[in-house]
Amino acid sequence: VSNAGVGMAGPLECQSLEAMQSLMDTNFFGLVRLVKEVLPDMKRRRGGHIVVISSIMGLQGIVFNDIYAASKFAVEGFCESLVVQALRFNVAISLVEPGPVTTEFEAKLYEEAERADYSRTDPETADIFTNLYLRNSKDVFASLGQSPEDIAEHTLRVIEAARPPFRHQTNVAYTPMAALKHADPSGALMTDAFYKLVFKYDAVLRLSLR
């Protein structure tokens, strides 16, 4: 089970390349290093199961989570490319894709975001992040957040499955969001829906979450 991960949220201009590279080294290359270690022996034994804790953000990018989403997209592409070869050797690969999970990880991330310096971006972007994104995120976590124990139970079900799934989403509330991309390959439907959700109907969103 590959579960190591770090988060990053905020305006792109306010994040250093060094921090981005560090995140990718943990979230993506950490997984790559692990798989390189365990896969050869699994192939020799013609049996094994690699379970990767990914994220719904590996399927759908979320505003102000550019680099974190990129790392999870990389995880998803890596596993999707590898799974067919692995199956030839009777090795299963599964992606567990949670939405928001209420942990100290998230609490620390948002505490740091509230104290961060946003002078390197324009005032409008800083205002959108602090007064729209952070406020809405707290409501999302309070309303839709799962516990670590819940994610562990989902992961256990994937491990114990007779035919392990390649993808397993833990929160049904996010299934429609992920489905928007498949409904319209041009991306217009998804982009329009998220734009309106963030900038036109944010008050409705907060009310519905509460």
Side-chain angles (χ1 to χ4, degrees), residues 9-166:
L12 185 66
E13 307 95 309
C14 301
Q15 298 162 347
S16 70
L17 283 174
E18 290 77 14
M20 297 177 193
Q21 289 167 339
S22 176
L23 181 145
M24 292 296 294
D25 190 54
T26 297
N27 291 11
F28 176 62
F29 287 107
L31 168 64
V32 172
R33 287 191 290 269
L34 175 66
V35 172
K36 277 174 64 69
E37 287 294 324
V38 302
L39 186 61
D41 188 56
M42 289 182 174
K43 288 166 75 174
R44 279 191 293 270
R45 289 188 286 113
R46 290 191 173 265
H49 189 186
I50 298 170
V51 180
V52 180
I53 307 302
S54 180
S55 169
I56 196 69
M57 276 194 260
L59 300 174
Q60 172 63 62
I62 302 294
V63 63
F64 291 119
N65 283 269
D66 323 87
I67 306 306
Y68 179 78
S71 73
K72 293 301 184 179
F73 266 70
V75 163
E76 296 268 336
F78 173 72
C79 292
E80 192 169 284
S81 298
L82 195 61
V83 66
V84 174
Q85 178 205 146
L87 285 173
R88 178 69 177 177
F89 294 88
N90 195 37
V91 175
I93 297 176
S94 296
L95 289 157
V96 177
E97 299 163 333
V101 183
T102 306
T103 65
E104 291 182 8
F105 174 95
E106 295 294 339
K108 183 171 182 287
L109 182 66
Y110 289 109
E111 284 175 10
E112 291 174 354
E114 288 177 342
R115 297 194 305 265
D117 175 17
Y118 299 113
S119 60
R120 284 174 289 176
T121 189
D122 58 277
E124 185 176 0
T125 300
D127 181 68
I128 292 168
F129 177 67
T130 55
N131 292 320
L132 277 181
Y133 173 81
L134 288 180
R135 182 173 56 177
N136 287 344
S137 290
K138 289 178 180 178
D139 289 341
V140 166
F141 272 87
S143 177
L144 301 177
Q146 294 176 276
S147 70
E149 291 77 16
D150 193 15
I151 305 304
E153 289 293 334
H154 277 273
T155 304
L156 182 61
R157 289 203 290 273
V158 169
I159 291 170
E160 292 181 335
R163 297 187 65 176
F166 176 57

